[in-house]
Amino acid sequence: MRFHVITIFPESLDSYIHESIIGRAIREKKIDVRFYNPRDFVVVGKSQKDKDKPYLRVDDKPYGGGPGMVMEALPILKAVALAEKKLKNKKLKPKIIHFSPSGKKFTTAYAKTTAKKYADVILICGRYEGIDSRVDKILKTELVSIGDYVLTGGELPAMVVLDSIARQIPGVLGTFASLEEERISSSQFYTRPEVLLYKGKKYRVPKVLLSGNHKKINEWRESKKK
Ligand code: ADE
């Protein structure tokens, strides 16, 4: 699976993807992540007074008035066009997701289906008030929300979605994949020390987990599922 992230802040995501399980998946070539910056597709000095300043503008005022700025369509369309040239599987259509708080709710089921059906996922991260809506019409994007709250941009949603889809790809979680799924659905976990001393009080691990009786342990875990 290849993830193509369209963002004006690629550095903000670069360190995250190189850590832990996602980092290992990249090193082991189970997934790869490419960034495309809409600023790279803007003519230097465009729509500004001082043409000598290398300020690359990707936003402008909204038609019809209103607060905030809107990201221009062309730099994003050009960034996506480049991503489409770098597809892992050129015979398959990529999934194109545009993050928006008013989009379809992202779920594990969505992650599983996407991991099965696509070789390439293009993630478009908006900033400011949003992106010129003609981008959605032209690219037939799917608007996706990661929850009922408004963030300042699509970068965090992109990481949430990338992480969640990546862990559905065979081999990404390693040999403990099914155990990991099991763990997620249980709500309590304990590790050493057996007795945790904190501010004069003792906090113990539930006895059943120390019993070695796997039938009982599984029953206990089942009873603690969310
Ligand atoms: N952009 C801003 N808030 C968002 C959210 N909750 N989900 C997806 N994209 C967003």
Side-chain angles (χ1 to χ4, degrees):
M1 164 86 63
R2 182 167 292 160
F3 294 94
H4 309 260
V5 188
I6 314 296
T7 171
I8 57 170
F9 298 118
E11 301 82 16
S12 70
L13 309 178
D14 200 53
S15 68
Y16 178 78
I17 60 165
H18 288 106
E19 298 292 339
S20 190
I21 292 172
I22 300 299
R24 185 185 66 196
I26 292 172
R27 288 191 295 280
E28 292 179 354
K29 303 201 179 345
K30 303 257 175 4
I31 61 168
D32 75 74
V33 184
R34 308 217 172 157
F35 292 106
Y36 308 84
N37 190 339
R39 287 199 203 283
D40 294 340
F41 302 91
V42 175
V43 182
V44 176
K46 179 180 158 281
S47 47
Q48 53 149 17
K49 285 180 204 131
D50 186 354
K51 298 255 186 289
D52 295 330
K53 263 196 196 156
Y55 181 66
L56 306 175
R57 184 164 194 170
V58 288
D59 61 320
D60 214 326
K61 285 180 277 190
Y63 279 117
M69 301 293 267
V70 174
M71 285 182 83
E72 291 174 19
L74 259 187
I76 293 174
L77 291 170
K78 287 180 179 174
V80 172
L82 180 60
E84 284 177 325
K85 282 195 186 132
K86 312 263 179 193
L87 295 184
K88 187 179 175 76
N89 186 338
K90 294 206 166 59
K91 290 184 194 130
L92 263 185
K93 269 192 169 220
K95 174 96 175 167
I96 309 184
I97 295 174
H98 167 195
F99 295 104
S100 160
S102 58
K104 174 180 179 171
K105 195 69 61 66
F106 183 72
T107 61
T108 296
Y110 186 109
K112 281 186 178 158
T113 314
T114 309
K116 268 206 196 105
K117 272 178 62 180
Y118 294 91
D120 290 272
V121 179
I122 299 178
L123 306 167
I124 303 177
C125 308
R127 279 270 148 186
Y128 316 114
E129 287 305 297
I131 293 177
D132 188 312
S133 294
R134 288 169 289 191
V135 167
D136 298 317
K137 189 167 180 198
I138 293 166
L139 298 177
K140 297 186 178 60
T141 64
E142 181 154 60
L143 292 181
V144 170
S145 163
I146 62 160
D148 294 332
Y149 38 81
V150 181
L151 301 165
T152 54
E155 282 74 15
L156 289 176
M159 285 303 97
V160 168
V161 166
L162 183 153
D163 188 297
S164 178
I165 294 174
R167 65 190 297 289
Q168 298 298 337
I169 293 165
V172 166
L173 292 181
T175 47
F176 297 110
S178 55
L179 288 179
E180 178 76 3
E181 287 297 339
E182 194 53 26
R183 186 180 72 73
I184 293 302
S185 52
S186 164
S187 62
Q188 290 194 15
F189 322 97
Y190 299 89
T191 187
R192 286 194 279 182
E194 197 177 310
V195 182
L196 173 69
L197 196 62
Y198 186 69
K199 292 190 176 174
K201 270 179 88 173
K202 284 179 178 171
Y203 299 83
R204 295 180 185 279
V205 173
K207 272 211 178 74
V208 60
L209 297 179
L210 310 170
S211 68
N213 183 333
H214 290 288
K215 188 169 172 281
K216 281 210 165 126
I217 291 174
N218 283 341
E219 281 167 9
W220 180 87
R221 286 206 170 124
E222 206 53 45
S223 75
K224 298 291 174 200
K225 270 191 182 176
K226 276 177 226 144

